[in-house]
Amino acid sequence: MENRNPLKVYCRNCGAPAGFDILNQTYRCAACGETTGIAESKQQMLHWRTLQKDNTQAYLRGQTVAQYACSSCGATVVFEGGEASQTCDFCGSKLVRKELTDADQLPELIIPFFITPEEARQRLLDWGHKYQHKPEGRSVVSSMGQFKGYYLPYQLVKGPVYGEVTRDSTFRKFRVAGYLEGTAVSTSKQLDNLVLNEAEPFDWSQARPFELGYIAGHHVKLSDISDADTAKRVNREVEAEFLPEVRKVMQTSGCDVNMNNGELDTITVLLPMYFIKVGKLTAVLNGQTGRIAVSGDRVKKSFPWVIEPLLGTLLCTLLLSIPYHFALEPMFLFVAVFGCIFFAAMGEGRTSLIESITMRSRESKATREKEKLHITEGNDILKNPYGTKPVFIEFNEKKNRDVPAKIKFYSVGRWLSILWNIFILVMLPAILAAGIRLLQISESGEAFMDGYKIGYGAAWYVLAGMIALIYWIRGVRSDVYNHPIVREILPGGKTKLMGRRADRRVSVFSLFGIGERDKDGKRITLLRALWDLRGLGFFLGGTLLFILLGSTLAIVY
């Protein structure tokens, strides 16, 4: 047990490393098939942590290890043998020295420096010259005198996570479950956490139990943020870990993930970083892989929400311009009219997205051949194996339990259903009139079109067309995302459609709440919706019925 990797969970039966079965939320051994529960894995971690702490405490009793604290910015650094600088590398203030005797202040794991200070300095300088046409590149070159190398404090987060996903313009909430085998969270308040994140990933296979011998000749910075702030950072990092996959499933960047991290294990770890911090400039170089990330004071403003109203405007303009052979004047008119409608309807409450600009090199991997450093760059060149895609969890009424599920919102059949419903709504008097006309000609023998004036239903067409346009602009997205297509993930990997047909049906009537469920789980019908509005409801219903009947009769009489 003492020599086992703390980042792995070992089978309680045969001792082989066990992988996390995300569908069943337990650890499963690939060798013998035995399961190991989450509680057992936490016990394994607790046992390793106790041994590591005892070993470190025993070492401290026989060594002189100095701790230096900055009274200005709060940074705390450690250097064995009392050789540390007398001034703070983060703000320039004087450091106060005292003995380090508590093993709880030291980390449990460490990834040693692989790249030397000279190699790192030259690589960062070359990067600055390469991007000297950018403010960040020029700032790096001019600030190389502030180049420093440190072991920086992190929390390594691992374990199962659960959360809730919400999407813009919808009321439905989705549950997700996932697993993290290792996500690094910086616990240093002097450096930009976003820039540090961009310099990842690390190769966690090279993590070692912490020993003071690793830090000989290097500066070490200890954690200087509170437990509460650390917990907040962990939450943000875990949510950010799952956000890309959630956005992909939700088909938008306008969604939130709220994770519950109660089952997570956290391990304190030191990671090798070189950095420059001058004013608003933060430049970091990963001391293991060589990846670079740099941020200055530039920001970018984007408006991702404009895509949908822009596409809607173009689509309506092109469709209505066909009878006019795409003449410029009517096209300009359609663009102005539909642009106002779509942007006003879809832009309500939307703002620009402002993000800091962080430049970074591609993912990298550092190797040595005959003592010469080689850094290879490329997408996923150092594939981080730690992290598992989240799985959505839905309640299966037939099985009376939660099951893993795949969520889908659009399909060809669903789009055809939406278009068919809109067509039926708009053309309803023409359809009813066609039935009446067929009865008439069966008795008189007249031609169908002799008494069928489809244009006389214009009153209903205009009214229903406006309702259909509002549904298309505001209702379709809400309707579709509130009624997902859910498929249960079966043990063999296959999927099975689950839920009732009514729970995934989309309809224009959803604009009025018809077909939805109330707080008691009962479905709202048309009559109930009218009754809830009392006199106004029956007035509106009667008016619509009058226009429908009037338009129908006008077509055939």
Side-chain angles (χ1 to χ4, degrees):
M1 178 72 73
E2 290 77 0
N3 296 322
R4 287 180 171 181
N5 187 337
L7 300 183
K8 294 184 179 296
V9 173
Y10 293 89
C11 176
R12 62 181 179 179
N13 180 47
C14 68
F20 192 72
D21 181 352
I22 196 168
L23 297 181
N24 295 296
Q25 293 291 294
T26 188
Y27 294 92
R28 187 178 302 278
C29 179
C32 69
E34 181 66 59
T35 59
T36 300
I38 294 173
E40 294 171 86
S41 72
K42 295 179 80 68
Q43 282 294 327
Q44 292 181 10
M45 171 62 70
L46 179 62
H47 179 64
W48 179 89
R49 178 170 280 142
T50 301
L51 292 175
Q52 179 66 16
K53 178 182 175 180
D54 291 344
N55 291 337
T56 303
Q57 192 68 57
Y59 184 89
L60 285 176
R61 284 194 289 267
Q63 302 292 325
T64 300
V65 182
Q67 172 180 318
Y68 294 81
C70 176
S71 58
S72 179
C73 71
T76 302
V77 296
V78 172
F79 202 89
E80 192 173 11
E83 300 177 22
S85 170
Q86 297 302 306
T87 58
C88 178
D89 287 328
F90 299 92
C91 71
S93 301
K94 185 175 179 59
L95 294 174
V96 179
R97 182 184 186 279
K98 64 178 181 179
E99 297 301 316
L100 177 65
T101 59
D102 188 359
D104 288 336
Q105 293 181 262
L106 292 174
E108 297 162 305
L109 290 177
I110 187 171
I111 290 182
F113 274 98
F114 186 81
I115 300 173
T116 67
E118 293 76 17
E119 293 167 338
R121 184 188 299 271
Q122 187 60 51
R123 177 169 171 78
L124 195 56
L125 186 60
D126 291 342
W127 184 93
H129 286 305
K130 179 180 179 180
Y131 293 100
Q132 58 184 350
H133 59 289
K134 300 279 189 181
E136 292 84 355
R138 294 192 294 271
S139 296
V140 166
V141 173
S142 63
S143 303
M144 288 303 298
Q146 302 299 316
F147 178 86
K148 300 288 189 302
Y150 264 84
Y151 278 113
L152 296 181
Y154 283 77
Q155 289 271 10
L156 183 62
V157 183
K158 65 183 293 288
V161 290
Y162 314 93
E164 191 174 75
V165 176
T166 55
R167 191 187 191 281
D168 285 350
S169 304
T170 59
F171 59 79
R172 198 183 195 283
K173 295 181 179 180
F174 299 87
R175 290 179 297 146
V176 293
Y179 184 78
L180 296 174
E181 284 198 58
T183 294
V185 181
S186 169
T187 57
S188 175
K189 67 181 179 182
Q190 289 80 14
L191 296 174
D192 187 338
N193 192 46
L194 175 62
V195 183
L196 292 174
N197 287 343
E198 295 294 340
E200 298 179 25
F202 288 88
D203 181 0
W204 291 105
S205 66
Q206 300 304 309
R208 302 287 183 265
F210 175 77
E211 295 178 8
L212 284 165
Y214 284 116
I215 69 172
H218 294 284
H219 289 75
V220 175
K221 187 177 184 301
L222 299 181
S223 174
D224 52 18
I225 64 175
S226 66
D227 291 341
D229 287 338
T230 299
K232 290 179 182 178
R233 285 193 178 185
V234 168
N235 283 341
R236 288 196 297 267
E237 289 279 338
V238 171
E239 290 169 5
E241 186 82 14
F242 288 97
L243 196 55
E245 184 65 24
V246 168
R247 284 176 172 174
K248 187 186 301 182
V249 175
M250 293 288 112
Q251 301 175 343
T252 180
S253 59
C255 56
D256 292 318
V257 182
N258 296 305
M259 305 302 293
N260 176 10
N261 305 323
E263 299 290 349
L264 287 176
D265 286 315
T266 57
I267 307 172
T268 56
V269 57
L270 289 180
L271 300 178
M273 281 287 188
Y274 296 99
F275 69 88
I276 297 173
K277 187 179 185 302
V278 179
K280 293 184 177 180
L281 171 71
T282 301
V284 297
L285 185 146
N286 189 314
Q288 183 199 34
T289 69
R291 193 177 194 186
I292 296 170
V294 181
S295 177
D297 57 358
R298 290 197 299 152
V299 297
K300 63 179 180 180
K301 183 183 292 187
S302 60
F303 301 85
W305 63 269
V306 305
I307 297 175
E308 286 183 282
L310 181 61
L311 290 176
T313 301
L314 292 177
L315 179 61
C316 289
T317 298
L318 292 174
L319 290 176
L320 291 181
S321 296
I322 294 175
Y324 299 92
H325 304 287
F326 300 102
L328 292 180
E329 289 186 5
M331 285 188 69
F332 281 132
L333 177 62
F334 294 144
V335 167
V337 172
F338 287 108
C340 291
I341 295 174
F342 278 99
F343 278 88
M346 295 183 174
E348 182 182 358
R350 301 295 186 94
T351 59
S352 60
L353 182 63
I354 301 177
E355 298 177 298
S356 298
I357 295 178
T358 301
M359 300 181 65
R360 63 183 184 274
S361 62
R362 300 169 74 187
E363 292 184 21
S364 56
K365 182 177 183 180
T367 57
R368 290 192 183 278
E369 294 180 11
K370 298 180 179 179
E371 300 302 317
K372 185 176 181 180
L373 178 68
H374 293 275
I375 295 180
T376 308
E377 294 184 346
N379 294 332
D380 294 328
I381 195 167
L382 183 64
K383 238 181 168 179
N384 192 342
Y386 306 118
T388 304
K389 289 183 179 180
V391 170
F392 284 79
I393 303 296
E394 292 287 327
F395 183 75
N396 190 317
E397 293 183 353
K398 289 185 178 181
K399 297 182 178 180
N400 196 33
R401 62 180 176 86
D402 289 336
V403 297
K406 285 188 176 180
I407 306 294
K408 187 177 180 181
F409 299 102
Y410 289 104
S411 65
V412 174
R414 174 162 277 193
W415 272 118
L416 292 175
S417 174
I418 292 171
L419 294 174
W420 178 252
N421 288 339
I422 291 175
F423 174 79
I424 293 295
L425 173 68
V426 175
M427 301 304 296
L428 186 57
I431 296 171
L432 295 176
I436 296 174
R437 185 60 184 156
L438 288 173
L439 291 175
Q440 289 176 337
I441 64 175
S442 65
E443 297 176 356
S444 64
E446 298 176 344
F448 181 85
M449 297 304 296
D450 288 347
Y452 186 78
K453 308 299 181 183
I454 191 171
Y456 285 18
W460 176 266
Y461 301 152
V462 172
L463 177 61
M466 292 181 63
I467 295 175
L469 182 61
I470 294 172
Y471 176 65
W472 185 263
I473 294 174
R474 296 298 298 268
V476 167
R477 291 179 303 160
S478 176
D479 202 14
V480 166
Y481 288 104
N482 282 325
H483 303 91
I485 302 169
V486 181
R487 302 187 70 89
E488 179 185 355
I489 302 175
L490 302 175
K494 294 183 178 181
T495 61
K496 179 182 179 182
L497 189 65
M498 60 179 282
R500 290 174 288 188
R501 182 186 297 272
D503 290 329
R504 53 181 177 270
R505 181 182 296 128
V506 292
S507 167
V508 176
F509 293 109
S510 67
L511 283 173
F512 311 102
I514 299 169
E516 305 296 346
R517 293 182 181 273
D518 61 16
K519 62 181 180 180
D520 298 322
K522 296 181 179 179
R523 198 172 299 280
I524 300 173
T525 62
L526 176 60
L527 289 177
R528 178 182 168 183
L530 293 174
W531 176 256
D532 288 343
L533 293 174
R534 298 298 191 274
L536 178 60
F538 286 103
F539 172 76
L540 292 175
T543 301
L544 290 174
L545 182 60
F546 175 77
I547 296 174
L548 174 61
L549 292 177
S551 298
T552 301
L553 296 175
I555 294 174
V556 292
Y557 293 108

